[in-house]
Amino acid sequence: MDEVAVVVAHNERATLRVGDVFLKIDADQRRTDVEVEAMAMSPIPTPDVLWRKPPVLALAALPGTALGRLGEPSTASSTAWAAAGAAIRRLHDAPLPPWPGRSLDEMALRLDGECEWLVTNGVLPTDLITRNRRLAEAALRPWTPVFTHGDLQVDHVFVDGDQITGVIDWSEAAQGDALYDLAIMTLGHGEQLGHVVAGYGIEVDLDVIRAWWSWRSLVVIRWLVEHGFDPFSPGCEVDVLRSQL
């Protein structure tokens, strides 16, 4: 038997790797339902579903390596980043999934609640929170829904050389804002934004993408802290908030 490696584990879900197989265990099977259906609908490569026996989903490993990781310089080429932008455009041009994503009101309420928690608990300087919240509000405008991945972190995109080999972790896929996907993938890698947009192939509002950087960083800090992750690590969410100023 191959060695079992823990990829990620917290009280909501865990992912184990055994050889070329990933075993995902999720406390909420609705997320797994979304993941399986979204991968079946996706026009870009995704992991093969090997089997599913709730609460476990078995997926085949993708070839290649992650495009990058938050907090670390990306070693991928600018061509690979542009290819990622082109892949995202194919996803956004695909037919919508039948289920809606988070509404504008829900995202505004989440921003309000998380900023209040950050201030009340003294997690960050109030001025840093206030100024980034002001920036984040620019993202909270009406948008035309597209098929979004919903959690397109840079380490969810796999490349082999300059080619995209697939995208993992589709449990947040839904109808949503195209610029949110572009923002999440370039979070902490702003130097690659131009390459991604070039590959995406149409003009986008860069200020809205930057606004989503602030929104994402503000709303995720509490979850990261409560689940044993460190948003204060160099290059991660708190540094993103500081760089926005």
Side-chain angles (χ1 to χ4, degrees):
M1 179 178 177
D2 291 302
E3 179 181 347
V4 176
V6 178
V7 179
V8 64
H10 48 76
N11 60 9
E12 292 181 4
R13 68 190 75 170
T15 301
L16 310 177
R17 179 167 186 167
V18 185
D20 289 331
V21 177
F22 285 90
L23 303 176
K24 302 187 71 173
I25 304 110
D26 201 312
D28 185 349
Q29 285 301 290
R30 291 173 297 179
R31 287 192 292 251
T32 307
D33 293 341
V34 166
E35 178 156 19
V36 171
E37 188 169 351
M39 289 192 297
M41 296 177 60
S42 171
I44 59 179
T46 65
D48 291 332
V49 177
L50 301 178
W51 49 265
R52 182 183 180 189
K53 295 181 180 179
V56 182
L57 173 66
L59 301 171
L62 288 173
T65 57
L67 184 63
R69 297 192 184 281
L70 184 62
E72 301 176 10
S74 172
T75 59
S77 68
S78 58
T79 303
W81 280 90
I88 299 171
R89 177 68 185 281
R90 291 198 299 274
L91 176 66
H92 292 169
D93 285 343
L96 290 171
W99 58 93
R102 289 170 292 187
S103 71
L104 186 58
D105 287 344
E106 288 173 323
M107 300 186 92
L109 285 172
R110 186 176 179 193
L111 179 64
D112 289 345
E114 295 303 323
C115 287
E116 181 179 352
W117 182 87
L118 291 170
V119 171
T120 300
N121 290 276
V123 178
L124 296 171
T126 300
D127 181 60
L128 182 65
I129 299 167
T130 301
R131 294 172 69 184
N132 271 278
R133 179 176 179 172
R134 190 175 301 123
L135 291 173
E137 288 171 349
L140 302 179
R141 84 284 175 230
W143 57 73
T144 301
V146 299
F147 186 173
T148 60
H149 179 278
D151 190 25
L152 199 61
Q153 299 178 54
V154 66
D155 57 353
H156 291 168
V157 181
F158 278 67
V159 296
D160 186 0
D162 295 334
Q163 302 299 314
I164 302 299
T165 60
V167 176
I168 64 171
D169 285 358
W170 290 78
S171 62
E172 302 296 325
Q175 299 178 26
D177 179 19
L179 300 190
Y180 182 78
D181 269 353
L182 294 175
I184 299 308
M185 194 179 72
T186 55
L187 184 76
H189 293 277
E191 73 283 356
Q192 302 294 348
L193 180 57
H195 302 307
V196 171
V197 171
Y200 194 71
I202 60 172
E203 186 175 350
V204 300
D205 191 330
L206 300 181
D207 287 337
V208 172
I209 291 176
R210 296 185 183 103
W212 279 127
W213 289 346
S214 289
W215 186 93
R216 170 74 174 201
S217 298
L218 287 169
V219 304
V220 79
I221 288 173
R222 173 165 39 170
W223 187 95
L224 292 170
V225 170
E226 291 178 347
H227 289 80
F229 300 99
D230 185 6
F232 290 86
S233 294
C236 293
E237 287 79 7
V238 173
D239 273 357
V240 170
L241 294 175
R242 290 171 178 149
S243 71
Q244 288 283 75
L245 306 185

